[in-house]
Amino acid sequence: MAIFHAILKEFSDTLVGNDAREYFAVHGIPTRRNEAYHFTDLARGLEKIEKPNGEIPLANIDADIIIHSTQFGEIISGEKDGISIIPNGQIEISDEIGAKLCVGLSKSNSKINIAPNTKARIAIQRGAGSRSAVEIDIGENAQIEIIEEQAADGGLSSNLVNVNIGAGASLRRIMIMQTIGAQDLRYSTINLQANARLDLFALCFGGKLVRIDTNVNLFGEGAIANINGAYILSNSQNDLTTIINHHAPNCQSNEIVRGICTKGARNVFQGLIKVEKGAQRTIGKMEHRGIMLEEGAQIFAKPCLEIYADDVECSHANTIGALDDKALFYMQARGISRAKAKMLLVNAFLAQVFDDIQDEKIHSDIMARIEDKLGAIL
Amino acid sequence: MLEIKNLKVEIDGKLITNGLSLTVPDGEVHAIMGPNGAGKSTLSYALSGRPNYEITGGSALLNGKDILALEPEERAAEGLFLSFQYPLEIPGVPTLTFIRTALNEQRKYRGEDEISAPAFMKLAREAASRLKIDNEMLKRPLNVGFSGGEKKRMEIFQMELLQPNFMILDETDSGLDIDALRVVADGVNYMRAPNRSMLVITHYQRLLDYIKPDKVHVLANGKIVDTGGPELALELEKSGYDKYEVAA
Ligand SMILES: Nc1ncnc2c1ncn2[C@@H]1O[C@H](COP(=O)(O)OP(=O)(O)OP(=O)(O)O)[C@@H](O)[C@H]1O
Ligand SMILES: [Mg+2]
C-alpha cells in the first residue's frame, strides 16, 4: 500500500487529479468492505507494484489519429479535420471511487473534441505503466471508431475515459487488453444523447489485478448501447463491472459477456441495468456466460436489475458451467482430438461476442488473437 | 471386420456388458435387437471409447487392431463410426466446418493430405442431395435446434462424408417418419461395400426390410443370447424377448 501512495504522490503534477489524491490520502484504497469491490480486493491487489517493463511497439494500424501512451507520457500523431486535441484540457470527474482512482493515478490528461459529422478512426496504444485520462466529446452525427490496445507487462497502468456521444452520433470502441503480470485500472463513463449509438467490444486476457469499470448513461431518447465482452483467463484475474443507466425513454441496451477460466484464474462480472422513473419503453438485456475449464477456476457473477419505470422489457441471463463432456466425446467419436474439440467449442462460444464487428480486418485480427491464446492454454 | 471376445464393461462400478462375443466379417451387415436396457448402446459407446465406460475384460479388434487401447478419435480414424442414438448438439460450430475438421483430423492421423475446400464441398453437396438435406441446414451449427429426425439424417450425412469401414447404427431408425426412414436406409445401403461392415441396432423389424442383414443377434443382459438369419427378427416381432429374459 505504501508503494501505491508513493505512486499517487509522485504524479501530483496533473491538476485534475489533486482532489482525488487528497481523497485517497484520507480514506485509503477501497477494501472488500466496499460493496463495489467485494469480489475484487483492490487494496490487496495493489500491495506490490512492480516496475513497468515491456514496451509495445507501434502497431501497424490504419487510423487517422494514433495516441501512443507510455510510462513516460503520450505521443499523439496524425491529424484530421474536425478533431482537435487539447493537452491538459480540463476534464470532469464523477464521484465514483473508480473514476477518482484513475484520475488520481493519471500522469497526463487530454481532451479531444470531435466536430459534428466527422468520420474518423482513433487508435490508442498503451504500454506498461501508462496512466492517462482523456475526455472525448463527439459532435452530432459523427461516426467514430476507437481501437485501444493494451499490452503491458509489469507495472500499474490506469486509464480514465469520459465520452459524450452527441445526438445521432455513433462510437464503436474496441478494447484489447493483455495485461499479463501487471495491474490495470480503468474507468469509462460513456454518455449517449438522443439517437446516439455505442458498440463496445472488449477482449480481456486479465492480469495480476485488472478492474474495468464501464458506466453507460443513456441520456437521450432513442439511444442504443451494445456492450460485448469476452475474457480468456489463465493464471490471471479480471473484473468487468458495468452499470448501464437508462435515463431517457425508448432506449435500448444489450450486454453480452462470455468467457473462460482455467485453473487458478478468476473472473468477476458485475452488471447492473438501472432504469430511471421516466425511462419508459426501455429495452435492456444482459447476458453473462462463463465456462470453467478446470477445477480450481473461479467465476463470480452478479447481475442486477434496478427498475423504477413500469413499461420496460428487461432481462438478465447468467450461466456458469463446464464444457459439455458429452459433446466433447461426440466430437472425438468423429475423429477430432479432445484438445481440438475444446478449441472448437470455446472458439465458437467466444466468437459470438464479436459477430457484429463488420470491419473484416479487425474481426479477423481479434479471432486470431483468440485462437492464439486458446492454443496456448487448452 | 470386427471381432469382440468376452467383452466386459462397467459403468460407475456396475457391470453392464457381461462377456459379450461377436464377429462381423468384412462386407456383412449384422443387426442387434434386444430389450430396453439390455446394453446395446453401452456396447456402441464402449467400442467408441466413451469416458467412464471401463473395460474390465475381453478384447475388441477392428481389422486386426486392438481398438480398446486407442483414444476415441484414433478409433474413428481407424474407420469406426457410431451413429448416435441421441446425437449431440454442437453450439456455434457450423455443420460443414465440423465435418471437414473431423475428416481432416482423421486424414492427418492416417498420414494423408488435407482435403481441399472445393473437393470437400463437392462431396458434401452430392451427399446432401442424396439424403435430401437442405443446404441452409449445413450452415447452421451442427444439430442445434434440429428435429430428432433431422439429427438422425445428419448422422448418415456425416457417415457418408467420413467414409468409415465399420459402422454402428444405434437406433438410427427411431423417430424417423416413413419417407425419412427410406432416405436413411438408402443412404446406408449406398455405403455397403465388400470392405465395409456394419452393426445395426434397432427395435423394429421394419428397418431390416430396407437394410437386409446377414445375421440377427439378440442382446439381453449384457451379452449375445441368440443369433440367426433375418427370419429371427420376424420371430422376435411376434414373440418378444420373454424367453431370453427368463433364461437370464
Ligand atoms: N452411468 C450409468 N450408471 C449406471 N448404469 C448405467 C449408466 N448408464 C447406463 N446404465 C445402465 O446400463 C444398462 C444398459 O443401458 P443401454 O443404454 O446400453 O441400454 P440399451 O440396450 O441401449 O437400451 P435402449 O433400447 O433403451 O436404448 C441400463 O440398465 C442402464 O440403466
Ligand atoms: Mg440404446
Side-chain angles (χ1 to χ4, degrees), chain A residues 324-338 340 344-345 348-349 352, chain B residues 48-50 72-73 76 81-82 84 88 90-92 98 101-102 105-106 143 155 158:
Chain A
D324 181 356
D325 238 353
K326 287 187 185 141
L328 284 174
F329 168 63
Y330 181 78
M331 297 171 88
Q332 285 181 279
R334 295 292 176 259
I336 300 171
S337 70
R338 202 169 170 86
K340 180 104 181 187
L344 274 175
L345 285 182
F349 169 71
Q352 286 178 23
Chain B
S48 311
R50 182 162 164 180
E73 61 270 26
F81 182 92
L82 168 62
F84 281 58
L88 277 294
I90 308 296
F98 177 90
T101 306
E105 288 265 295
Q106 289 197 19
N143 291 336
E155 294 290 282
Q158 294 180 54

Side-chain angles (χ1 to χ4, degrees), chain A residues 42-63:
Chain A
L42 273 196
R44 252 190 83 189
L46 293 169
E47 259 164 24
K48 240 182 103 207
I49 298 169
E50 277 155 25
K51 270 203 154 14
N53 49 56
E55 207 42 55
I56 45 159
L58 276 166
N60 183 17
I61 194 152
D62 188 17

Side-chain angles (χ1 to χ4, degrees), chain B residues 46-116:
Chain B
L47 290 173
S48 311
R50 182 162 164 180
N52 300 328
Y53 281 55
E54 199 193 340
I55 313 291
T56 55
S59 63
L61 303 183
L62 177 65
N63 307 319
K65 193 163 201 160
D66 172 15
I67 50 165
L68 298 181
L70 303 177
E71 293 297 324
E73 61 270 26
E74 296 172 329
R75 302 180 196 200
E78 292 288 346
L80 182 68
F81 182 92
L82 168 62
S83 169
F84 281 58
Q85 182 174 359
Y86 304 107
L88 277 294
E89 301 194 353
I90 308 296
V93 184
T95 300
L96 283 184
T97 308
F98 177 90
I99 304 174
R100 190 150 80 92
T101 306
L103 181 57
N104 280 330
E105 288 265 295
Q106 289 197 19
R107 293 174 73 107
K108 194 166 83 190
Y109 173 89
R110 296 192 292 256
E112 298 163 10
D113 284 342
E114 281 203 353
I115 186 165
S116 74

Side-chain angles (χ1 to χ4, degrees), chain B residues 54-240:
Chain B
E54 199 193 340
I55 313 291
T56 55
S59 63
L61 303 183
L62 177 65
N63 307 319
K65 193 163 201 160
D66 172 15
I67 50 165
L68 298 181
L70 303 177
E71 293 297 324
E73 61 270 26
E74 296 172 329
R75 302 180 196 200
E78 292 288 346
L80 182 68
F81 182 92
L82 168 62
S83 169
F84 281 58
Q85 182 174 359
Y86 304 107
L88 277 294
E89 301 194 353
I90 308 296
V93 184
T95 300
L96 283 184
T97 308
F98 177 90
I99 304 174
R100 190 150 80 92
T101 306
L103 181 57
N104 280 330
E105 288 265 295
Q106 289 197 19
R107 293 174 73 107
K108 194 166 83 190
Y109 173 89
R110 296 192 292 256
E112 298 163 10
D113 284 342
E114 281 203 353
I115 186 165
S116 74
F120 177 76
M121 282 310 296
K122 187 163 175 282
L123 291 175
R125 264 197 300 271
E126 285 166 8
S129 79
R130 259 199 315 279
L131 292 166
K132 302 196 166 54
I133 291 172
D134 194 48
N135 269 331
E136 216 30 59
M137 206 157 158
L138 300 179
K139 292 181 196 144
R140 282 162 58 187
L142 180 62
N143 291 336
V144 177
F146 290 12
S147 77
E150 287 169 341
K151 286 179 183 170
K152 295 299 180 71
R153 206 183 284 215
M154 203 47 85
E155 294 290 282
I156 303 304
F157 179 68
Q158 294 180 54
M159 181 172 88
E160 288 203 9
L161 289 171
L162 295 171
Q163 295 280 307
N165 58 53
F166 194 92
M167 294 116 76
I168 304 172
L169 308 183
D170 190 357
E171 292 197 30
T172 303
D173 54 332
S174 299
L176 290 182
D177 65 41
I178 298 156
D179 296 334
L181 182 67
R182 191 181 303 255
V183 169
V184 162
D186 286 348
V188 171
N189 286 326
Y190 180 83
M191 292 287 285
R192 285 179 95 148
N195 60 348
R196 225 177 238 144
S197 33
M198 67 182 97
L199 208 48
V200 180
I201 298 170
T202 183
H203 284 297
Y204 306 106
Q205 194 278 329
R206 194 185 51 185
L207 177 71
L208 306 178
D209 286 340
Y210 295 107
I211 304 171
K212 290 262 175 287
D214 296 288
K215 276 188 180 153
V216 174
H217 306 278
V218 178
L219 200 166
N221 296 306
K223 58 174 107 175
I224 303 293
V225 292
D226 200 0
T227 295
E231 73 288 348
L232 180 55
L234 288 165
E235 231 175 277
L236 290 169
E237 192 100 322
K238 281 193 217 101
S239 61

